Amino acid sequence: MSSLSEQIPMRDFPKLKGEIYEIPSQQRGYKWTPANIKELLRDLWEFMNAPENKRVYCLQPLAVVPLSGKYSVLDGQQRLTTLFLLYKYLTNQNAYTLEFVRDSEDDDNIVNRWSFLTNISSKESIELADSQIDLYYIHRAYQTISDCFETNHDEVFSADKELTTEEIKSKYLELLNGQSAKSIQVIWYEVPENKAHETFRNLNSGKISLTNTELIKALFLNRASGLNEGLRDDAARQFEEMEQIINNDHFWAMLSSEEPIFPHTRMDLLFNLIAKVDDSEADKDFRSSFRWFANEANDNLEAKWQKIRHTFLRLYDMYKNIYTYHYIGYLTYCNQDNRYKFLSFLLKSSREYSKTVFVNRLRERIRRTINPNDKLSISDFEYGQISTMMLRRFFLLHNIETILQKYETLKSSKELNLQHEYEQFPFELLHKQSWDIEHITSQTDSKFDNEQDRKDWLSSVRNDYPSYFEVTEIKDRLTKYDLKKSKENFDELYKAVIMYNDAQDGDHIPEDDKNQVGNLVLLDSHTNRSFHNSLFPRKRRIVVIANGLKSEDDEETNVTQVYIPPCTMQCFTKAYSKKSSTKLNSWLQPDADAYREDIKQKLCDKPESNTIRYFKN
């Protein structure tokens, strides 16, 4: 593995000196304000007076294209110009040459900015400053530097009133010339000439090639970082380990339901948490946490690295615990608030409470997502009477508690001696797949809008129940539909088949009860659409095949394999019905009752054992 200093080279100020930097005509003019200038001078002063282990002051990247004898600047003109002005003030010398392409054009109205910079302290330059907006900003910046040293001494150097102006200037000059143990460095980013236009476009559209994560990585792992070699080697190894784990979809989906859009990265979530950068601030400036880490006033790099490591390990500990993994994953799925706020709550709570209390705090939070006013009961979760979002949460929670309570049962078995969980809900698939609420036994309302779907439905019913088409009413409806394949005629046929199917068993689910929880499951949208209101036997076949049990002689040939939640699978395999008289080819009222009872057992409070869940009944 190549070292990071080779991947992202750093360059100190002495190595910038003597070069020629071309400023392309498309670059915007100089715009630093007096506040920007004072902030830089103050930061440098605090850096110079900080403990010796703080060795590097890192400026933002300088993106350049190597040309013959010079570099074309794609990003970093403002910083280059400011450092030039500071060095010019301290030495009256030019640190490097700035060639402004726009100033070389044949236009008598354009004042050459390089000539202006080289003579910026002259009376002529002072007079020219008001003639052109770029010159005005450049001269104002130079004047601000001069004022800070000459007249506004206390504003920047208030802690050192005993030092003379010359002594202060000498310290800045030692820093710039590389004559002290400390240095100013930029991240030096070279771009091939054939990529220059694309890179400049990306820089100006916010698609910066160097991400916040890459900058922070360079800050810690560069040889000039100030970290001792042993710690730097440990940090490099640990950084790679953390990056691999955070890039694991299973881990990531516990913490976030969204994929970061470039230039944001998954690692930014960790860095932003530590730097207290919320999502809105990161959206405005994706490098916010890098600036926090680069700011020497916010503790030394070794302490910052320990914060990164400890925060990551705390999140990883939540991931490795079956209860916190599932409860946090559920809350992430439901979370409508600022992600930073939610994750900060997790970190704070995990520090302040024992594991048991922390898990109970998560359950309390879950209860508020599914039963906000603590007035809902299981019976209130009826299709069409409560939002689909709430139904998805309800059945997701049932699946999660099923996994957890199954684990508890197996773990308590002395014969099995189970040490670790063997099943987890894959939240990454929850985010990747679209989800519907499916009726297990179909309603009498037909939803077939095209003839091919009607043909497929009739074919599946014929395969499963050929005798149905010998029934007079169904036969008559089919004849009428064959004469005129209208939606109205099919609806009548469909309703006749469903009602006859229900009537074959005295335990069928009444039409008015088909929207209740005992007849509903969580199912991915693709599989749900493939059902086409089929009768139970075909739905069961499709679910089994979609779950991975596929063979060459399957009657259903166009089934896509997807994730089938465990409770959905248990419904279609009739796992909730324990009686020997259970019928596998239909979903009946006793099945719905057994399923509902399991939901109640998993999600409702148990006063007799002081167990608090999500519903009172």
Short mmCIF file of all heavy atoms in Angstrom, two decimals, residues 167-187:
data_model
loop_
_atom_site.label_atom_id
_atom_site.label_comp_id
_atom_site.label_asym_id
_atom_site.label_seq_id
_atom_site.Cartn_x
_atom_site.Cartn_y
_atom_site.Cartn_z
N GLU A 167 9.63 42.07 15.92
CA GLU A 167 9.78 40.71 16.46
C GLU A 167 8.65 39.81 15.96
O GLU A 167 8.87 38.63 15.63
CB GLU A 167 9.79 40.76 17.99
CG GLU A 167 11.09 41.34 18.56
CD GLU A 167 11.00 41.57 20.05
OE1 GLU A 167 9.88 41.87 20.56
OE2 GLU A 167 12.04 41.46 20.73
N ILE A 168 7.46 40.36 15.90
CA ILE A 168 6.33 39.58 15.39
C ILE A 168 6.52 39.27 13.90
O ILE A 168 6.31 38.14 13.45
CB ILE A 168 5.01 40.33 15.62
CG1 ILE A 168 4.72 40.44 17.11
CG2 ILE A 168 3.85 39.63 14.92
CD1 ILE A 168 3.54 41.32 17.46
N LYS A 169 6.95 40.28 13.15
CA LYS A 169 7.19 40.07 11.73
C LYS A 169 8.27 39.01 11.51
O LYS A 169 8.17 38.18 10.60
CB LYS A 169 7.61 41.39 11.07
CG LYS A 169 6.46 42.39 10.95
CD LYS A 169 6.93 43.78 10.57
CE LYS A 169 7.48 43.87 9.18
NZ LYS A 169 7.80 45.27 8.80
N SER A 170 9.26 39.01 12.36
CA SER A 170 10.34 38.05 12.25
C SER A 170 9.84 36.61 12.45
O SER A 170 10.27 35.70 11.74
CB SER A 170 11.43 38.37 13.28
OG SER A 170 12.46 37.41 13.23
N LYS A 171 8.91 36.44 13.38
CA LYS A 171 8.36 35.10 13.62
C LYS A 171 7.56 34.60 12.41
O LYS A 171 7.65 33.44 12.02
CB LYS A 171 7.47 35.11 14.87
CG LYS A 171 8.23 35.33 16.17
CD LYS A 171 7.37 35.04 17.38
CE LYS A 171 7.12 33.55 17.55
NZ LYS A 171 6.52 33.21 18.84
N TYR A 172 6.78 35.50 11.80
CA TYR A 172 6.02 35.12 10.60
C TYR A 172 6.98 34.77 9.45
O TYR A 172 6.74 33.82 8.70
CB TYR A 172 5.10 36.26 10.16
CG TYR A 172 3.76 36.27 10.85
CD1 TYR A 172 3.57 36.96 12.04
CD2 TYR A 172 2.68 35.57 10.33
CE1 TYR A 172 2.34 36.98 12.68
CE2 TYR A 172 1.45 35.57 10.96
CZ TYR A 172 1.28 36.27 12.14
OH TYR A 172 0.06 36.26 12.77
N LEU A 173 8.04 35.53 9.33
CA LEU A 173 8.98 35.30 8.24
C LEU A 173 9.71 33.97 8.42
O LEU A 173 9.95 33.24 7.45
CB LEU A 173 9.99 36.45 8.17
CG LEU A 173 10.86 36.52 6.91
CD1 LEU A 173 9.98 36.55 5.65
CD2 LEU A 173 11.78 37.74 6.95
N GLU A 174 10.07 33.66 9.67
CA GLU A 174 10.71 32.35 9.93
C GLU A 174 9.78 31.21 9.53
O GLU A 174 10.21 30.21 8.96
CB GLU A 174 11.05 32.24 11.43
CG GLU A 174 12.25 33.07 11.84
CD GLU A 174 12.51 32.93 13.34
OE1 GLU A 174 11.83 32.11 13.99
OE2 GLU A 174 13.40 33.64 13.85
N LEU A 175 8.50 31.37 9.82
CA LEU A 175 7.52 30.34 9.47
C LEU A 175 7.43 30.19 7.95
O LEU A 175 7.46 29.08 7.42
CB LEU A 175 6.15 30.70 10.06
CG LEU A 175 5.00 29.74 9.73
CD1 LEU A 175 5.22 28.39 10.40
CD2 LEU A 175 3.65 30.33 10.16
N LEU A 176 7.32 31.30 7.24
CA LEU A 176 7.18 31.24 5.78
C LEU A 176 8.44 30.72 5.11
O LEU A 176 8.37 30.04 4.08
CB LEU A 176 6.83 32.62 5.24
CG LEU A 176 5.42 33.14 5.56
CD1 LEU A 176 5.28 34.60 5.16
CD2 LEU A 176 4.37 32.30 4.84
N ASN A 177 9.59 31.03 5.67
CA ASN A 177 10.86 30.61 5.06
C ASN A 177 11.28 29.20 5.47
O ASN A 177 12.32 28.72 5.04
CB ASN A 177 11.98 31.60 5.41
CG ASN A 177 11.89 32.88 4.59
OD1 ASN A 177 11.38 32.85 3.47
ND2 ASN A 177 12.37 33.98 5.14
N GLY A 178 10.48 28.55 6.31
CA GLY A 178 10.83 27.20 6.74
C GLY A 178 11.99 27.16 7.70
O GLY A 178 12.72 26.16 7.77
N GLN A 179 12.18 28.25 8.47
CA GLN A 179 13.32 28.33 9.39
C GLN A 179 12.96 27.95 10.83
O GLN A 179 13.78 28.06 11.72
CB GLN A 179 13.89 29.76 9.37
CG GLN A 179 14.46 30.13 8.02
CD GLN A 179 14.77 31.62 7.90
OE1 GLN A 179 14.21 32.44 8.62
NE2 GLN A 179 15.69 31.95 7.00
N SER A 180 11.71 27.51 11.03
CA SER A 180 11.30 27.06 12.36
C SER A 180 10.91 25.59 12.28
O SER A 180 10.91 25.00 11.21
CB SER A 180 10.13 27.90 12.87
OG SER A 180 8.95 27.59 12.13
N ALA A 181 10.59 25.01 13.42
CA ALA A 181 10.20 23.59 13.45
C ALA A 181 8.81 23.38 12.87
O ALA A 181 8.38 22.26 12.65
CB ALA A 181 10.27 23.07 14.88
N LYS A 182 8.12 24.49 12.61
CA LYS A 182 6.75 24.41 12.10
C LYS A 182 6.70 24.89 10.66
O LYS A 182 7.63 25.53 10.17
CB LYS A 182 5.82 25.24 12.98
CG LYS A 182 5.84 24.81 14.44
CD LYS A 182 4.77 25.50 15.24
CE LYS A 182 4.74 24.97 16.68
NZ LYS A 182 3.54 25.38 17.39
N SER A 183 5.58 24.58 10.00
CA SER A 183 5.48 24.98 8.60
C SER A 183 4.03 25.19 8.18
O SER A 183 3.11 24.61 8.76
CB SER A 183 6.13 23.92 7.68
OG SER A 183 5.40 22.71 7.74
N ILE A 184 3.86 26.06 7.16
CA ILE A 184 2.58 26.21 6.48
C ILE A 184 2.61 25.29 5.26
O ILE A 184 3.57 25.35 4.47
CB ILE A 184 2.36 27.66 6.02
CG1 ILE A 184 2.37 28.62 7.20
CG2 ILE A 184 1.05 27.79 5.26
CD1 ILE A 184 2.26 30.08 6.78
N GLN A 185 1.57 24.48 5.11
CA GLN A 185 1.55 23.57 3.98
C GLN A 185 0.20 23.62 3.28
O GLN A 185 -0.83 23.91 3.90
CB GLN A 185 1.84 22.13 4.44
CG GLN A 185 3.19 21.99 5.12
CD GLN A 185 3.77 20.60 4.96
OE1 GLN A 185 3.37 19.84 4.08
NE2 GLN A 185 4.74 20.27 5.79
N VAL A 186 0.24 23.34 1.99
CA VAL A 186 -0.99 23.16 1.22
C VAL A 186 -1.01 21.72 0.72
O VAL A 186 0.04 21.09 0.58
CB VAL A 186 -1.08 24.12 0.01
CG1 VAL A 186 -1.13 25.56 0.47
CG2 VAL A 186 0.06 23.89 -0.98
N ILE A 187 -2.20 21.21 0.49
CA ILE A 187 -2.30 19.91 -0.18
C ILE A 187 -2.14 20.17 -1.67
O ILE A 187 -2.93 20.90 -2.28
CB ILE A 187 -3.64 19.23 0.14
CG1 ILE A 187 -3.68 18.88 1.63
CG2 ILE A 187 -3.84 17.99 -0.71
CD1 ILE A 187 -4.98 18.26 2.09
#
